[in-house]
Amino acid sequence: MEIILATQNNGKIKEFNELAKGTEFNFIPVPSNSTFPEETGSTFFENASIKANFAFSLTGRTCLGDDSGLEVDALNGKPGVHSSRFSKKATDESNVDKLLNELKGIPHEDRSARFKCCLVLIQEGTANLICSEGSVEGKIAEEKRGDRGFGYDPIFLPKGSLLHMAEMDQEKKNLISHRANAFKSLLEKLSSGLTEK
Ligand code: ITT
């Protein structure tokens, strides 16, 4: 079954298709000429809903919105919902550099952080919603390592891991990631027929 993934981030499409291996689902992008709405929400849930609703109004098919980001305790939860626009230039590299700069001098034990992911699925026909969340705890490392993944992966050190997230292959990241946890929870809700609204 095809699910339209309401994202402009190719890294997410790759991850969801890897996560969906062995399931009946296959993720495809929204038509490439679409102009996405602004993410004006103040929570991951609100922004995931904005994306899912946008794709649903465009296609009428089953659509999934993913809003995710990094919460750093030493920065009182920032960048949070602003993770993709943390730096002025708003590239993965400039965001990572800005974060490393803001945490300069902060000792390793005080660099705790977590990735969070909120998913909103709107189902074809019924327009029923299914929502789920996932997270992964870790620390912000002092330097970048690895060239896999996307976003803040080069500086995220998951709890109990010697590898930065960007040093893990997709299979390994998908065993522990916030997105994997949220997806697992979504599949459980889907299979038990749980819907909201
Ligand atoms: P879409 O809105 O089009 O889906 P986006 O990249 O802007 O793409 P978000 O608004 O959800 O997605 O922002 C999430 C940002 O949080 C993303 O750009 C990364 O900087 C970071 N992020 C989320 N998941 C991540 C992951 O698995 N690894 C590294 N960074 C991640």
Side-chain angles (χ1 to χ4, degrees), residues 164-188:
H164 291 199
M165 202 80 119
E167 294 179 292
M168 298 178 176
D169 58 27
Q170 193 66 70
E171 216 174 311
K172 202 166 220 151
K173 179 175 175 183
N174 280 348
L175 286 175
I176 59 165
S177 83
H178 50 314
R179 188 161 295 105
N181 292 331
F183 186 61
K184 198 170 154 222
S185 160
L186 189 81
L187 288 184
E188 282 164 9

Short mmCIF file of all heavy atoms in Angstrom, two decimals, residues 164-188:
data_model
loop_
_atom_site.label_atom_id
_atom_site.label_comp_id
_atom_site.label_asym_id
_atom_site.label_seq_id
_atom_site.Cartn_x
_atom_site.Cartn_y
_atom_site.Cartn_z
N HIS A 164 28.71 7.92 16.62
CA HIS A 164 27.78 9.02 16.35
C HIS A 164 26.72 8.49 15.38
O HIS A 164 26.97 7.54 14.63
CB HIS A 164 28.51 10.20 15.71
CG HIS A 164 29.48 10.89 16.62
ND1 HIS A 164 29.93 12.17 16.38
CD2 HIS A 164 30.06 10.50 17.78
CE1 HIS A 164 30.76 12.53 17.35
NE2 HIS A 164 30.86 11.54 18.22
N MET A 165 25.57 9.12 15.38
CA MET A 165 24.48 8.65 14.52
C MET A 165 24.92 8.61 13.05
O MET A 165 24.52 7.70 12.31
CB MET A 165 23.27 9.58 14.69
CG MET A 165 21.97 9.00 14.32
SD MET A 165 21.26 7.93 15.60
CE MET A 165 19.74 8.79 15.96
N ALA A 166 25.73 9.57 12.61
CA ALA A 166 26.14 9.61 11.20
C ALA A 166 27.20 8.56 10.86
O ALA A 166 27.58 8.42 9.71
CB ALA A 166 26.67 11.00 10.85
N GLU A 167 27.67 7.83 11.87
CA GLU A 167 28.61 6.72 11.60
C GLU A 167 27.86 5.40 11.45
O GLU A 167 28.46 4.38 11.12
CB GLU A 167 29.62 6.60 12.74
CG GLU A 167 30.56 7.80 12.85
CD GLU A 167 31.52 7.63 14.01
OE1 GLU A 167 31.07 7.65 15.18
OE2 GLU A 167 32.73 7.48 13.76
N MET A 168 26.58 5.42 11.75
CA MET A 168 25.78 4.18 11.69
C MET A 168 25.22 3.99 10.28
O MET A 168 24.81 4.97 9.65
CB MET A 168 24.60 4.26 12.66
CG MET A 168 25.05 4.38 14.09
SD MET A 168 23.60 4.52 15.16
CE MET A 168 24.40 4.53 16.74
N ASP A 169 25.14 2.73 9.83
CA ASP A 169 24.43 2.53 8.57
C ASP A 169 22.93 2.62 8.86
O ASP A 169 22.50 2.65 10.02
CB ASP A 169 24.84 1.22 7.88
CG ASP A 169 24.59 0.01 8.75
OD1 ASP A 169 23.69 0.05 9.60
OD2 ASP A 169 25.31 -0.99 8.59
N GLN A 170 22.16 2.67 7.78
CA GLN A 170 20.71 2.90 7.93
C GLN A 170 20.05 1.86 8.83
O GLN A 170 19.18 2.17 9.64
CB GLN A 170 20.05 2.91 6.55
CG GLN A 170 18.64 3.43 6.55
CD GLN A 170 18.58 4.90 6.91
OE1 GLN A 170 18.99 5.74 6.15
NE2 GLN A 170 18.08 5.22 8.09
N GLU A 171 20.52 0.64 8.67
CA GLU A 171 19.93 -0.46 9.45
C GLU A 171 20.12 -0.23 10.96
O GLU A 171 19.20 -0.40 11.75
CB GLU A 171 20.61 -1.75 9.04
CG GLU A 171 19.70 -2.94 9.00
CD GLU A 171 20.44 -4.14 8.43
OE1 GLU A 171 21.07 -3.99 7.37
OE2 GLU A 171 20.41 -5.18 9.07
N LYS A 172 21.32 0.19 11.31
CA LYS A 172 21.65 0.41 12.73
C LYS A 172 20.87 1.61 13.28
O LYS A 172 20.32 1.56 14.38
CB LYS A 172 23.16 0.64 12.85
CG LYS A 172 23.69 0.36 14.22
CD LYS A 172 25.22 0.27 14.21
CE LYS A 172 25.69 -0.84 15.10
NZ LYS A 172 26.94 -1.42 14.68
N LYS A 173 20.84 2.70 12.51
CA LYS A 173 20.09 3.89 12.95
C LYS A 173 18.62 3.53 13.16
O LYS A 173 17.99 3.97 14.12
CB LYS A 173 20.24 5.03 11.93
CG LYS A 173 19.46 6.28 12.32
CD LYS A 173 19.67 7.48 11.40
CE LYS A 173 18.74 8.63 11.80
NZ LYS A 173 18.82 9.80 10.91
N ASN A 174 18.10 2.69 12.25
CA ASN A 174 16.69 2.33 12.34
C ASN A 174 16.36 1.39 13.49
O ASN A 174 15.20 1.09 13.76
CB ASN A 174 16.22 1.71 11.02
CG ASN A 174 15.93 2.79 9.98
OD1 ASN A 174 15.88 3.97 10.31
ND2 ASN A 174 15.74 2.38 8.74
N LEU A 175 17.38 0.88 14.17
CA LEU A 175 17.10 0.06 15.36
C LEU A 175 16.81 0.94 16.57
O LEU A 175 16.16 0.52 17.53
CB LEU A 175 18.30 -0.84 15.69
CG LEU A 175 18.54 -2.03 14.77
CD1 LEU A 175 19.83 -2.74 15.15
CD2 LEU A 175 17.36 -2.99 14.85
N ILE A 176 17.32 2.18 16.55
CA ILE A 176 17.23 3.01 17.76
C ILE A 176 16.60 4.38 17.58
O ILE A 176 16.30 5.04 18.55
CB ILE A 176 18.65 3.26 18.35
CG1 ILE A 176 19.53 3.96 17.30
CG2 ILE A 176 19.29 1.96 18.82
CD1 ILE A 176 20.79 4.54 17.93
N SER A 177 16.38 4.81 16.33
CA SER A 177 16.06 6.23 16.14
C SER A 177 14.67 6.62 16.61
O SER A 177 13.77 5.79 16.75
CB SER A 177 16.23 6.62 14.67
OG SER A 177 15.07 6.29 13.94
N HIS A 178 14.52 7.91 16.86
CA HIS A 178 13.23 8.51 17.20
C HIS A 178 12.19 8.20 16.14
O HIS A 178 11.05 7.89 16.43
CB HIS A 178 13.41 10.03 17.36
CG HIS A 178 14.13 10.68 16.21
ND1 HIS A 178 15.28 10.17 15.67
CD2 HIS A 178 13.85 11.79 15.46
CE1 HIS A 178 15.69 10.93 14.67
NE2 HIS A 178 14.83 11.93 14.53
N ARG A 179 12.60 8.25 14.86
CA ARG A 179 11.67 7.99 13.76
C ARG A 179 11.25 6.52 13.75
O ARG A 179 10.08 6.19 13.53
CB ARG A 179 12.37 8.38 12.44
CG ARG A 179 11.50 8.35 11.23
CD ARG A 179 12.10 9.17 10.09
NE ARG A 179 12.15 10.59 10.42
CZ ARG A 179 13.26 11.25 10.75
NH1 ARG A 179 14.43 10.65 10.73
NH2 ARG A 179 13.20 12.53 11.09
N ALA A 180 12.21 5.64 14.02
CA ALA A 180 11.91 4.20 14.06
C ALA A 180 10.93 3.92 15.20
O ALA A 180 9.97 3.16 15.03
CB ALA A 180 13.19 3.40 14.25
N ASN A 181 11.15 4.54 16.36
CA ASN A 181 10.25 4.31 17.50
C ASN A 181 8.84 4.83 17.21
O ASN A 181 7.85 4.19 17.55
CB ASN A 181 10.80 4.98 18.77
CG ASN A 181 12.07 4.29 19.25
OD1 ASN A 181 12.24 3.09 19.03
ND2 ASN A 181 12.96 5.04 19.88
N ALA A 182 8.80 6.01 16.58
CA ALA A 182 7.48 6.57 16.24
C ALA A 182 6.77 5.70 15.20
O ALA A 182 5.56 5.49 15.28
CB ALA A 182 7.65 8.00 15.72
N PHE A 183 7.53 5.18 14.25
CA PHE A 183 6.94 4.36 13.19
C PHE A 183 6.41 3.04 13.76
O PHE A 183 5.32 2.58 13.39
CB PHE A 183 7.98 4.10 12.09
CG PHE A 183 7.43 3.39 10.89
CD1 PHE A 183 6.41 3.96 10.13
CD2 PHE A 183 7.91 2.15 10.51
CE1 PHE A 183 5.89 3.31 9.02
CE2 PHE A 183 7.39 1.49 9.40
CZ PHE A 183 6.39 2.07 8.67
N LYS A 184 7.18 2.48 14.69
CA LYS A 184 6.76 1.22 15.32
C LYS A 184 5.42 1.43 16.04
O LYS A 184 4.48 0.63 15.92
CB LYS A 184 7.84 0.81 16.32
CG LYS A 184 7.79 -0.62 16.73
CD LYS A 184 9.03 -1.00 17.52
CE LYS A 184 8.70 -2.15 18.43
NZ LYS A 184 9.26 -2.05 19.75
N SER A 185 5.35 2.53 16.77
CA SER A 185 4.12 2.84 17.50
C SER A 185 2.94 3.08 16.54
O SER A 185 1.81 2.66 16.78
CB SER A 185 4.40 4.05 18.40
OG SER A 185 3.25 4.68 18.78
N LEU A 186 3.23 3.73 15.40
CA LEU A 186 2.19 3.97 14.40
C LEU A 186 1.67 2.65 13.83
O LEU A 186 0.46 2.45 13.69
CB LEU A 186 2.77 4.82 13.26
CG LEU A 186 1.78 5.33 12.23
CD1 LEU A 186 1.06 6.57 12.75
CD2 LEU A 186 2.45 5.67 10.91
N LEU A 187 2.58 1.72 13.55
CA LEU A 187 2.17 0.42 13.00
C LEU A 187 1.30 -0.33 14.00
O LEU A 187 0.31 -0.98 13.63
CB LEU A 187 3.39 -0.43 12.64
CG LEU A 187 4.20 -0.01 11.41
CD1 LEU A 187 5.32 -1.02 11.15
CD2 LEU A 187 3.32 0.12 10.18
N GLU A 188 1.67 -0.23 15.30
CA GLU A 188 0.86 -0.90 16.33
C GLU A 188 -0.55 -0.33 16.37
O GLU A 188 -1.53 -1.07 16.44
CB GLU A 188 1.54 -0.75 17.70
CG GLU A 188 2.72 -1.70 17.87
CD GLU A 188 3.63 -1.32 19.03
OE1 GLU A 188 3.28 -0.41 19.82
OE2 GLU A 188 4.72 -1.93 19.13
#
